[in-house]
Amino acid sequence: MSLPLTHSHAAFRLPGALPLRGLKVRTELGSRIPTAPSCNSGLLAAQCERGLFQEVFPARGAQEQLPALLAPGRPPITAYCGFDPTADSLHVGHLPALMALLHLQRAGHHVIALVGGATPLLRFACGAGGRLRMGALLSRQGCQARLRSAEGMSLAEFLYPALQAYDFLHLRRRHGCRLQIGGADQMGNIMSGYELTGEDVFGITVPLITSTTGDKLGKTAGNAVWLNRDKTSPFELYQFFVRQQDSIVEKYLKLFTFLPLEEIRHIMEMHAKEPEKWGPQKRLAAEVTKLVHGREGLESAKRCTKALYHSSVEALEAMSDQELQELFKQTPSAELLLEPGTSVLDLCRKANAIPAGPSGYQKITDGGVSINGIRETNPEAVLVVGQHILKNGVSLLRIGKKNYYIIKWLQL
């Protein structure tokens, strides 16, 4: 799911009930106050039960119009979600919004992922600036919090809700878009879009994904787990989800997979009996990695996991150069010619992996060196192709517990 980033109004189409934290908004909005979706039946109810759809705006949309618009057999509607274009990849924090779009698309509706937005400012000023009220923008909870903070609020931040509102207006006119998806912290911006666009549009919020310390995942906090393979490999994405705590894994299975809720309940029941197997975490990691990187990405993540954590020679031997570079990003590497009689000691010294002299020799005899997951205690042992050197021309040298070196053998 490495999505292309296109600026301005170039939209692209995607391939193919929990307690709610109500937002404090102006009471004079009346029936327009965000509300929890009514969980009776249909798409809205199903995603409410998964915890994906949190609040609907305006309130009457949760009870009357929107459930009917999303009901099976009705003509499809168009929904969109906007994404910040200041990074060259989306990240895990964007997954709830992406899953919301995908669920809508799977139900037969049209979805638009918008990257960038209202950049032609003169046109924006004419179309949106004259129709949005300063009082409404200043009253938003997010605006009030920033104005009271020590950092204050820049003009760009203040104008952001208006820019996002203009995106909604543009997509309503150009593509008939009636539904905007956004994170729980986007409700104020969604409300501005409603005020600008008209009475026949709606907004739905999805949960924010936070770290164990409560920080929102993303580039601003510096803790982003990216969806682009060039920034976060399939192995790293897989490991991120496999390490999730028991307290959150069921929620993530509901949010980030298409598994039926009954199957998720069964997975959690089995986990209660055999927690040491980490069944829910492994299933979550597999489903998300496959969703983002496809089946080959998942197989790559599994190969890397077996090679690194299970000392699997077969997995290491099957790894591509790209996978080796992804798995050992900061690992020193060397290209060597295999000469007759090359020993374990020769390899370690040529790779600059051990100190010169007796201490390096002793490092090997003490059991501190392994090649391709096999401990070597004889410094004079001659390297053997097929054992010390794999079929893909690679040797993985480990010194101690964590220091790895990748050796590429030339002209074998």
Side-chain angles (χ1 to χ4, degrees):
M1 194 191 291
S2 297
L3 301 178
L5 297 185
T6 308
H7 292 271
S8 191
H9 281 110
F12 57 88
R13 302 197 179 265
L14 291 174
L18 296 177
L20 298 170
R21 300 189 300 274
L23 295 179
K24 296 180 180 179
V25 296
R26 292 178 299 150
T27 55
E28 59 264 31
L29 287 174
S31 65
R32 291 156 61 185
I33 293 176
T35 189
S38 177
C39 295
N40 296 319
S41 62
L43 175 64
L44 197 65
Q47 301 317 313
C48 172
E49 188 176 1
R50 297 186 82 95
L52 184 59
F53 290 175
Q54 290 200 318
E55 293 181 299
V56 168
F57 182 81
R60 69 171 185 276
Q63 301 167 356
E64 303 169 7
Q65 296 171 281
L66 194 54
L69 287 173
L70 297 175
R74 291 293 301 271
I77 69 168
T78 299
Y80 101 97
C81 182
F83 299 94
D84 185 352
T86 56
D88 58 0
S89 171
L90 301 181
H91 54 72
V92 164
H94 293 118
L95 271 180
L98 290 170
M99 292 300 295
L101 293 180
L102 288 170
H103 277 291
L104 286 163
Q105 188 185 59
R106 285 162 65 100
H109 300 288
H110 305 303
V111 297
I112 297 171
L114 178 70
V115 181
T119 51
L121 294 180
L122 179 60
R123 185 178 177 185
F124 152 76
C126 297
R131 296 172 59 180
L132 291 173
R133 302 291 90 188
M134 288 284 292
L137 295 176
L138 287 168
S139 70
R140 302 288 190 242
Q141 186 184 33
C143 181
Q144 290 288 327
R146 288 309 304 269
L147 287 172
R148 289 194 297 267
S149 70
E151 298 82 9
M153 189 178 196
S154 69
L155 178 61
E157 289 175 296
F158 177 72
L159 289 175
Y160 191 86
L163 292 166
Q164 186 169 323
Y166 181 71
D167 285 340
F168 202 2
L169 175 65
H170 176 88
L171 293 174
R172 179 73 181 99
R173 291 172 175 174
R174 183 67 62 89
H175 299 287
C177 183
R178 297 185 64 182
L179 176 61
Q180 180 181 173
I181 305 291
D185 58 349
Q186 293 291 305
M187 182 55 79
N189 299 343
I190 291 173
M191 291 164 68
S192 295
Y194 173 90
E195 292 168 352
L196 180 64
T197 305
E199 296 291 316
D200 64 342
V201 297
F202 306 91
I204 293 178
T205 63
V206 296
L208 297 180
I209 305 303
T210 59
S211 67
T212 53
T213 59
D215 295 322
K216 177 181 172 182
L217 286 184
K219 62 180 180 59
T220 302
N223 56 7
V225 179
W226 303 97
L227 304 186
N228 187 317
R229 183 168 187 162
D230 293 337
K231 297 172 76 70
T232 298
S233 71
F235 166 75
E236 292 170 313
L237 182 70
Y238 183 91
Q239 289 300 319
F240 171 79
F241 283 102
V242 121
R243 292 170 182 156
Q244 293 303 313
Q245 299 175 354
D246 285 355
S247 59
I248 200 72
V249 68
E250 183 176 6
K251 174 183 176 180
Y252 280 6
L253 279 168
K254 292 176 180 178
L255 288 179
F256 297 142
T257 79
F258 295 104
L259 297 176
L261 293 179
E262 183 60 36
E263 184 174 352
I264 293 175
R265 282 191 285 271
H266 176 69
I267 291 171
M268 296 309 300
E269 288 171 2
M270 295 301 295
H271 181 56
K273 298 175 182 177
E274 300 176 309
E276 71 280 359
K277 291 187 176 181
W278 289 70
Q281 285 87 347
K282 291 178 181 178
R283 187 62 184 276
L284 171 66
E287 292 292 326
V288 176
T289 305
K290 184 168 63 175
L291 175 69
V292 175
H293 294 293
R295 189 169 298 278
E296 173 52 36
L298 174 57
E299 292 304 315
S300 172
K302 288 182 175 179
R303 278 193 296 272
C304 292
T305 299
K306 290 177 182 177
L308 186 61
Y309 296 125
H310 303 285
S311 299
S312 170
V313 173
E314 292 79 9
L316 186 61
E317 203 164 43
M319 290 174 64
S320 66
D321 287 347
Q322 180 185 19
E323 288 170 342
L324 286 167
Q325 292 169 3
E326 290 173 345
L327 183 57
F328 304 102
K329 282 185 176 178
Q330 307 302 322
T331 298
S333 61
E335 293 184 341
L336 302 177
L337 284 171
L338 182 62
E339 300 174 353
T342 299
S343 67
V344 171
L345 181 62
D346 295 332
L347 168 60
C348 293
R349 285 179 173 170
K350 288 180 178 179
N352 294 317
I354 60 174
S359 61
Y361 193 94
Q362 187 175 355
K363 185 76 173 178
I364 301 174
T365 58
D366 287 346
V369 172
S370 66
I371 302 175
N372 300 331
I374 301 172
R375 183 171 295 175
E376 296 291 344
T377 57
N378 180 6
E380 307 300 335
V382 175
L383 299 185
V384 177
V385 176
Q387 176 183 337
H388 301 104
I389 302 171
L390 302 179
K391 293 177 182 178
N392 55 359
V394 168
S395 294
L396 180 62
L397 176 63
R398 188 181 72 188
I399 309 297
K401 292 183 177 180
K402 297 182 179 180
N403 298 316
Y404 288 90
Y405 299 80
I406 297 175
I407 311 302
K408 287 288 290 182
W409 296 98
L410 305 176
Q411 299 178 2
L412 286 179

